[in-house]
Amino acid sequence: MLAGFPIFADLWQEHLAKLEEMAQEIFLKKGEGLFGPGDPTQGFYVVQEGAVRVYRMSPQGKEITQEIASPGGAFALASLYSDTYHCFAEALKDSRLYLIQKKKFLDLITTDMKFAAEWIRLLSLLVIRLRSRLSDLTLKSPKARIASYILLLAETQDSLSITLPVTRKELATFLGMTHETLYRSTRELVKEGLVRFAGQTIEILDQDLLAEITE
């Protein structure tokens, strides 16, 4: 059941089997909270269906979206080494998740050095992707940020016809722009013949040119 998740894709079969033994299936309704600051950590999560938003509150009371985990995505990885969660997580739509239980996972790391080494490698790749996203949000134009996110979804969903996990308004907040800027920039991508929108579905028409925008 975990074989299709990108974060586990390169694991040895024996390790994947052990992870599946410690995975707990969880169902959330749209708008239902999964955890909040101060809640004891249970482990990290992977999304099978739906979407989960991870966010924190600023001192001024503004919600700051840190991550939107769509199908195939993982979140709360740092909770393995913390006693409590430091942010909120809630379902943006009806969702099915797997909780990778903290104690069992840490026991596997401490008793299986081959797995520990492989997990370090996977986390290193994740750090590289997070740095890339930070660069997207701080250095690139709104259109380039949108293109990067579309390509990331295409990679995660393994398809050139992808489904947005959230509304466009929520996506704009996540990408650090106004809803009007998102609308204007996506309209440019459509006019240039790079993508086609149909509700929450995006069809990538020219992947190479879309990638060029992100560079």
Side-chain angles (χ1 to χ4, degrees):
M1 62 186 177
L2 298 181
F5 290 93
I7 194 170
F8 303 135
D10 296 328
L11 287 179
W12 293 75
Q13 189 58 43
E14 62 181 283
H15 293 143
L16 189 62
K18 290 180 179 179
L19 287 180
E20 291 187 344
E21 291 176 0
M22 66 181 71
Q24 176 184 343
E25 193 173 30
I26 295 175
F27 294 91
L28 294 175
K29 290 292 186 181
K30 179 180 178 179
E32 185 177 354
L34 180 61
F35 56 74
D39 290 345
T41 52
Q42 305 297 318
F44 70 93
Y45 301 82
V46 291
V47 181
Q48 178 68 46
E49 299 172 3
V52 174
R53 179 172 72 116
V54 179
Y55 66 97
R56 63 180 178 85
M57 301 295 293
S58 73
Q60 294 74 33
K62 180 181 178 181
E63 294 183 0
I64 300 175
T65 299
Q66 296 178 306
E67 185 176 2
I68 295 175
S70 55
F75 65 97
L77 293 167
S79 70
L80 292 170
Y81 301 98
S82 176
D83 293 331
T84 60
Y85 293 107
H86 298 93
C87 52
F88 297 90
E90 70 172 11
L92 292 172
K93 56 177 69 175
D94 291 351
S95 302
R96 179 159 64 100
L97 323 172
Y98 289 107
L99 164 65
I100 308 301
Q101 298 177 65
K102 175 180 176 179
K103 185 179 185 307
K104 293 180 180 180
F105 186 87
L106 293 179
D107 286 345
L108 179 59
I109 285 182
T110 56
T111 58
D112 190 326
M113 295 308 298
K114 185 167 68 171
F115 175 76
E118 182 63 12
W119 187 247
I120 290 172
R121 186 185 72 82
L122 294 175
L123 290 182
S124 298
L125 293 176
L126 180 61
V127 169
I128 292 173
R129 292 182 67 180
L130 289 174
R131 285 179 175 173
S132 176
R133 178 172 176 262
L134 180 61
S135 174
D136 290 344
L137 290 175
T138 57
L139 300 178
K140 295 184 178 180
S141 69
K143 190 162 71 170
R145 284 182 243 166
I146 295 168
S148 294
Y149 186 71
I150 291 174
L151 292 172
L152 175 61
L153 285 182
E155 178 185 344
T156 302
Q157 298 179 20
D158 193 23
S159 174
L160 294 180
S161 180
I162 61 176
T163 301
L164 288 175
V166 294
T167 66
R168 297 189 196 185
K169 184 176 181 180
E170 290 166 329
L171 178 60
T173 301
F174 177 60
L175 294 178
M177 63 185 73
T178 65
H179 180 232
E180 290 76 15
T181 299
L182 176 74
Y183 178 78
R184 183 173 60 253
S185 298
T186 54
R187 188 170 54 183
E188 290 177 10
L189 293 175
V190 171
K191 286 183 176 180
E192 293 169 7
L194 303 182
V195 298
R196 180 186 297 121
F197 282 81
Q200 290 293 100
T201 301
I202 303 175
E203 183 180 353
I204 298 176
L205 303 178
D206 195 323
Q207 189 175 18
D208 292 337
L209 286 180
L210 194 64
E212 287 184 11
I213 292 177
T214 68
E215 297 175 353

